[in-house]
Amino acid sequence: MDTWITGYSIQPTQEHPKAESSAHKSANIALDGLQEVISEKCKIDYTTRSRGKTINKKKEVDKYRFARYADDFVITSQTKENLEEIIPRVEKWLRKRGLELNREKTKIRNIIEEGFSFLGFQIQQRKTKTLRLDSKRYKNKARKMLKNLKPNAIRIPTPNAKIREEICYSCIITPDKEEVKRFLKEIRSILKNEARALNTEDVIKKLNPKIRGWLNYYRFVCSKKTFNNVRYKILNSIYRYLKRQHPKKAWKWIKRKYFKTIDKDTLNFFTISSGKRKKEEILVNAAKDVPIIRFEKVKGNSSPFDPDLKEYWKKRKTKWGKSKFAKGSKYEKVYIHQKGICPICNLPIELDDNFEVHHTIPIKRGGNSETKNLQILHSHCHKAKHKKLHQDT
């Protein structure tokens, strides 16, 4: 049985002209209750095997499944006919609230053959394994493989006269190709137009927040290949930018002046800042600096406001905060030593928090940059710490 999917986006009607500006703000209020409209049960047929016999059974499942973020939502079902049936019901419910479906974005797609794009992600079920179950040789191996499959994997039996197979599919989420193109176009635009009036230090400072922010958004899905490809394209754009800056210089001269070797990687675009400390400004390495981490769903109905679950949320936040740092780095060791807690405010340093490294004994007073002399603090805590030290002296 095929799995079909449809994606919708809400667009205000002419009856509510003010709704266009406040659509995103009021989406959660306006669309609250849509899930109840499409809630419906149905029975599906499925087969199981017991003692070598095939048994046909029926079970009751949700006819539709629903996911929403602001004014974008997705409805899934087992068949295309089910989705064609639900569209008029959704339109009727939206019309009462002065809303209508965006016909350009409303599509019905097969999740296996085509997949769909949602919030900048491409979601598709792809073939992962083919299991041969026709002989005793593969029987035990096939059983183990079926047990080790991901929970979201589905198995589609493929009848064959000679060889009995089972094709296994898993839901793979990757960055949408159009979003990747849009991001690279923005980077090229900066290097081609805005970078002409900037020095190398300002170019790196302008690019780093954009690159890091984009990588952080897509780091929770299957995006390793995309990150490598993005880095390759960015390096090509930087090379063209540097050739425009130094048209008569050879590549070896450009590489020696603007690129640094870090962990056997020779193509790290950098420059030395013009400040007093002569700090190195290095461009974010899309392939290494932002590691891929898998998002973990919150257990059950756990709420961050539940006083009984303080320890759970504390562990969860510190675990995510640890992924800020490269594995095995001294900053990761400092973070683990602190148990992910800021020593000033005693709050967890989370993934999205801005942090700074503090030297317990300042370098000008004989301190060093070893792990024993370092602390990782929130940015505002670090400023408050130095302000207090300055007042004390």
Side-chain angles (χ1 to χ4, degrees), residues 155-208:
R155 300 192 295 276
I156 299 179
T158 305
N160 196 311
K162 295 181 180 179
I163 301 173
R164 186 168 163 269
E165 297 180 341
E166 276 197 6
I167 302 174
C168 303
Y169 289 81
S170 287
C171 184
I172 306 297
I173 305 174
T174 56
D176 188 23
K177 290 182 179 179
E178 294 300 320
E179 290 297 317
V180 175
K181 288 179 182 177
R182 185 196 59 76
F183 170 69
L184 291 172
K185 187 178 179 181
E186 186 180 355
I187 297 296
R188 291 186 189 113
S189 176
I190 292 171
L191 290 170
K192 192 173 182 180
N193 302 321
E194 299 178 33
R196 291 181 180 181
L198 302 174
N199 57 29
T200 311
E201 181 186 350
D202 293 333
V203 170
I204 292 176
K205 286 182 177 179
K206 192 171 185 65
L207 289 177
N208 271 349

Side-chain angles (χ1 to χ4, degrees), residues 191 195 198 200 203 237-245:
L191 290 170
L198 302 174
T200 311
V203 170
S237 300
I238 288 170
Y239 170 73
R240 288 194 290 270
Y241 157 72
L242 293 173
K243 284 297 286 183
R244 286 193 294 270
Q245 297 293 101

Side-chain angles (χ1 to χ4, degrees), residues 98-237:
L99 300 170
E100 63 181 15
L101 294 177
N102 186 336
R103 285 296 175 182
E104 294 180 2
K105 293 184 178 180
T106 304
K107 296 176 182 178
I108 297 178
R109 293 186 178 275
N110 188 314
I111 196 172
I112 295 175
E113 295 176 2
E114 302 166 297
F116 68 100
S117 180
F118 186 59
L119 302 176
F121 296 95
Q122 179 67 20
I123 303 169
Q124 188 172 0
Q125 283 189 337
R126 298 179 184 175
K127 180 180 174 182
T128 53
K129 293 174 184 175
T130 302
L131 308 181
R132 291 183 61 181
L133 306 174
D134 60 317
S135 64
K136 292 181 180 179
R137 180 182 174 185
Y138 292 100
K139 196 171 183 180
N140 293 330
K141 187 178 179 181
R143 282 177 183 171
K144 289 179 182 178
M145 290 172 73
L146 286 171
K147 285 181 181 179
N148 295 331
L149 279 175
K150 297 177 183 178
N152 61 344
I154 60 171
R155 300 192 295 276
I156 299 179
T158 305
N160 196 311
K162 295 181 180 179
I163 301 173
R164 186 168 163 269
E165 297 180 341
E166 276 197 6
I167 302 174
C168 303
Y169 289 81
S170 287
C171 184
I172 306 297
I173 305 174
T174 56
D176 188 23
K177 290 182 179 179
E178 294 300 320
E179 290 297 317
V180 175
K181 288 179 182 177
R182 185 196 59 76
F183 170 69
L184 291 172
K185 187 178 179 181
E186 186 180 355
I187 297 296
R188 291 186 189 113
S189 176
I190 292 171
L191 290 170
K192 192 173 182 180
N193 302 321
E194 299 178 33
R196 291 181 180 181
L198 302 174
N199 57 29
T200 311
E201 181 186 350
D202 293 333
V203 170
I204 292 176
K205 286 182 177 179
K206 192 171 185 65
L207 289 177
N208 271 349
K210 292 184 178 294
I211 297 172
R212 192 177 291 279
W214 190 85
L215 295 174
N216 282 332
Y217 183 71
Y218 288 107
R219 70 187 303 185
F220 302 104
V221 296
C222 305
S223 49
K224 190 66 179 176
K225 289 183 180 179
T226 306
F227 284 4
N228 288 330
N229 184 42
V230 164
R231 195 207 173 206
Y232 172 74
K233 297 286 179 64
I234 290 174
L235 285 175
N236 277 345
S237 300

